[in-house]
Amino acid sequence: MNVLPNSDGAGLRAAARRGLRRGRDFVDETPPDALVTVTVAAVSLLAAFAGFLAVSSLTAVPFAVFLVATGYGWLRHQELTARVLTLTTTVSTILVLGLILVFIFAEAWPTVQYATVNVFGIPIPGLRLFIETRWSPVTPPIQYSLVPMIHGTVLVTIIATAVAAPLGVAAALFLSEIAPRTVREVVKPGVEILAGIPSIVYGFIGFTILSPWAADQFDIVGQGTYLFVGIVVGLMALPTVVSVAEDALNSVPESMKSGSLALGTTDWQTMTSITLPAAFSGVSAAVLLGVGRAIGETMAATVMLRGSPGLTKPLYNVFYGNDTLTSLIAANYGDADGLQLSALFVAGVILFVTVLFLSIGSQYIEARMRRKLGGAE
């Protein structure tokens, strides 16, 4: 079978022609005053955004023009103004996120370049950050290894996930499928209120109650263990897991559950064979959100851990705690400069990439479950 070599190019040209045609139709069908109004509003907002980035003293001028044009457009052409306004703010949001990414990667690059290692004559930037085990930004020899902090982050995340995932899914099943309505109306708002408690409060409770108790019970020298930091962070992530998983379970059509019960299955069999598989994408997203909370938790880990980067011996020893990536940034950012500050940005890049992969993984799981359950592609 012959394949046209320019089929992709032809498709792109056709899409471009369709876009231009829609643009011409939009211009032809829109009243001139409405077109001028939304154009002035969009251009002035982007100009204000550019002036803000350039720290210009004239930023207020285009922003004032944007407010006036938007107000006039909202009174005379509300629907068109709303469409253009949402599009412009969406573009601005994407630009902000893009600039944040460029900034953190640019700030991290000096340390990545400093930590270059030659492997068989090939320079590999940043490799020294992951093959050494000593963080020493002040005392010679200067080293910026992130291995101890990555190790601590992994241990805390595993423990937090082991706490939040089973408890959260079980609580969500109870609220969605078992609890009476009166109990659900009381318990669910209470669980959601727990998510609003500041993380420093959890950390303070862990530091003043859990850590001293652990030091007495397990003969630990000093305070701060990955085990109890993971437990505290898991409890912090629990409301998020419960809330999101319960919403996912409630979204399962009642007809599916009723059909299963009509075939003679028990409530437990229906929950495990129908409800959970049908809501698996939402439940997995809830767990991944909890994992993201555990990875990005800062204040509880900073308060409870020692703040002395290093590996535990043995590596699986959770009854000792040094530092995580987030606590390293929180504890050192105020006094850091030069390559040390850049190394903290490298830690931020690692956290960003990790959460990004978690997000992509959740979307992949959701798409796979949709295909499995016969949903839309």
Side-chain angles (χ1 to χ4, degrees):
M1 181 176 63
N2 295 327
V3 179
L4 296 177
N6 295 326
S7 58
D8 293 339
L12 291 175
R13 288 193 295 271
R17 286 194 296 269
R18 288 194 298 270
L20 290 175
R21 185 166 57 251
R22 285 195 297 267
R24 287 196 298 267
D25 293 340
F26 172 77
V27 173
D28 294 337
E29 297 171 359
T30 304
D33 61 328
L35 191 62
V36 171
T37 300
V38 297
T39 302
V40 170
V43 172
S44 59
L45 178 60
L46 293 177
F49 178 70
F52 174 77
L53 294 178
V55 197
S56 172
S57 58
L58 301 177
T59 303
V61 175
F63 186 71
V65 174
F66 162 75
L67 293 178
V68 173
T70 301
Y72 174 79
W74 194 264
L75 294 175
R76 298 294 301 274
H77 313 283
Q78 188 175 32
E79 182 179 356
L80 179 62
T81 302
R83 290 172 55 190
V84 174
L85 184 63
T86 54
L87 174 62
T88 307
T89 52
T90 301
V91 172
S92 301
T93 302
I94 295 174
L95 289 176
V96 169
L97 293 176
L99 291 173
I100 291 174
L101 293 181
V102 171
F103 176 76
I104 61 174
F105 277 92
E107 291 294 322
W109 178 249
T111 297
V112 173
Q113 192 174 25
Y114 173 80
T116 299
V117 175
N118 290 321
V119 179
F120 301 109
I122 302 175
I124 301 179
L127 183 59
R128 191 180 302 164
L129 297 171
F130 307 101
I131 61 175
E132 296 177 345
T133 59
R134 183 171 178 265
W135 170 271
S136 179
V138 178
T139 306
I142 303 298
Q143 294 179 342
Y144 298 103
S145 174
L146 295 176
V147 172
M149 283 66 73
I150 294 175
H151 168 257
T153 301
V154 170
L155 288 181
V156 169
T157 302
I158 291 174
I159 296 169
T161 304
V163 171
L167 292 179
V169 174
L173 269 175
F174 173 78
L175 291 175
S176 176
E177 305 296 324
I178 301 174
R181 182 176 179 179
T182 54
V183 175
R184 187 184 305 115
E185 290 177 351
V186 172
V187 173
K188 187 176 180 181
V191 170
E192 293 176 348
I193 288 174
L194 292 176
I197 298 177
S199 59
I200 187 65
V201 175
Y202 285 99
F204 183 73
I205 293 174
F207 178 75
T208 57
I209 298 176
L210 289 180
S211 291
W213 179 83
D216 294 337
Q217 295 296 318
F218 301 103
D219 295 329
I220 299 172
V221 178
Q223 293 189 7
T225 65
Y226 290 137
L227 175 62
F228 288 97
V229 172
I231 292 174
V232 170
V233 174
L235 294 176
M236 293 173 58
L238 189 59
T240 301
V241 178
V242 173
S243 181
V244 178
E246 199 261 343
D247 290 339
L249 293 170
N250 284 335
S251 66
V252 177
E254 192 64 32
S255 58
M256 296 177 64
K257 306 174 189 178
S258 300
S260 175
L261 293 172
L263 293 175
T265 61
T266 64
D267 290 338
W268 174 250
Q269 289 172 331
T270 299
M271 283 189 290
T272 55
S273 60
I274 300 297
T275 307
L276 269 179
F280 182 77
S281 60
V283 173
S284 62
V287 174
L288 288 176
L289 284 174
V291 173
R293 175 72 184 270
I295 292 175
E297 176 49 44
T298 302
M299 292 312 302
T302 304
V303 170
M304 294 181 65
L305 292 175
R306 291 177 172 83
S308 55
L311 293 173
T312 59
K313 296 180 182 179
L315 294 177
Y316 54 82
N317 180 13
V318 296
F319 293 98
Y320 203 83
N322 293 313
D323 235 337
T324 62
L325 291 170
T326 53
S327 63
L328 176 76
I329 296 173
N332 293 276
Y333 186 79
D335 299 326
D337 60 357
L339 288 177
Q340 182 182 0
L341 181 61
S342 178
L344 299 182
F345 274 99
V346 176
V349 169
I350 294 173
L351 291 170
F352 168 78
V353 171
T354 303
V355 174
L356 175 64
F357 275 104
L358 285 175
S359 177
I360 294 174
S362 65
Q363 294 179 11
Y364 171 76
I365 293 172
E366 183 177 359
R368 184 176 178 181
M369 289 306 300
R370 284 181 178 177
R371 291 194 298 268
K372 182 177 179 181
L373 295 174
E377 290 292 334

